[in-house]
Amino acid sequence: MSGSQYLPTELLVEQLALRLLAQGAFVATAESCTGGGIAQAMTELPGSSRWFGFGWVTYANAAKEQLLAVPSAVLEHEGAVSEQTVLAMVKGAQVRSGARYAVAVSGVAGPDGGSDEKPVGTVWIAWADGEQHWAEVYMFPGDRRQVRQQTVEFALRGLVEHLDGA
């Protein structure tokens, strides 16, 4: 893994910005469990409008369907916290924004809402680069704030590492 795995959020955003600016590329976000935390972290950096243009907070399933074109059948059969859902979210964000890169997250931040199948701390993160789309599932420990913060960090780290060719 690259050295980005040890960088705090602010430095991850700076690294991301440098890489996107070098390409003249934009990134979009589609967030559920983080409630806009990824977009907030990105836009804390002055000048972020040169590489960040769009972000959606789609907490409710209806918002995922209406704003990001997540198929209702996916939400009904797989649930909001699933690989299929975050892949649909990231594709929807990418298509609707026109950005080359996108990241999407959906998870169970807690303190309730978990199940045996998807306990609190389960988070799916998906990324997009052009025609490439991929997702990973994580089990983050801690309380609601900690789960959300780790999700933001891993989403950013995944983008930086991808841009570094990791």
Side-chain angles (χ1 to χ4, degrees):
M1 292 195 102
S2 78
S4 69
Q5 67 182 342
Y6 303 109
L7 295 176
T9 303
E10 297 81 16
L11 292 177
L12 284 168
V13 171
E14 289 175 14
Q15 294 294 314
L16 178 62
L18 290 172
R19 286 151 179 80
L20 292 170
L21 286 168
Q23 291 186 22
F26 278 83
V27 66
T29 62
E31 303 180 61
S32 186
C33 63
T34 49
I38 299 167
Q40 180 184 8
M42 289 181 182
T43 58
E44 285 291 320
L45 185 66
S48 57
S49 62
R50 295 182 301 169
W51 51 271
F52 176 81
F54 291 85
W56 288 266
V57 176
T58 56
Y59 221 68
N61 285 352
K64 290 173 181 66
E65 288 182 55
Q66 294 169 15
L67 300 174
L68 298 171
V70 176
S72 61
V74 167
L75 292 165
E76 289 171 20
H77 295 101
E78 304 299 329
V81 181
S82 68
E83 180 178 20
Q84 297 84 351
T85 295
V86 293
L87 286 170
M89 289 171 67
V90 82
K91 290 174 188 176
Q94 191 182 32
V95 166
R96 291 175 186 234
S97 70
R100 175 174 174 179
Y101 299 100
V103 61
V105 299
S106 188
V108 185
D112 54 10
S115 66
D116 288 341
E117 184 181 305
K118 299 173 187 177
V120 170
T122 304
V123 177
W124 277 95
I125 305 175
W127 298 271
D129 173 358
E131 296 296 317
Q132 280 187 287
H133 304 92
W134 65 100
E136 292 184 23
V137 65
Y138 297 91
M139 276 302 307
F140 294 126
D143 63 19
R144 180 177 180 81
R145 184 192 58 76
Q146 292 167 322
V147 169
R148 289 163 51 114
Q149 183 57 40
Q150 290 172 88
T151 302
V152 169
E153 290 172 9
F154 274 67
L156 293 168
R157 184 176 301 128
L159 283 171
V160 171
E161 289 181 355
H162 177 74
L163 289 165
D164 284 347

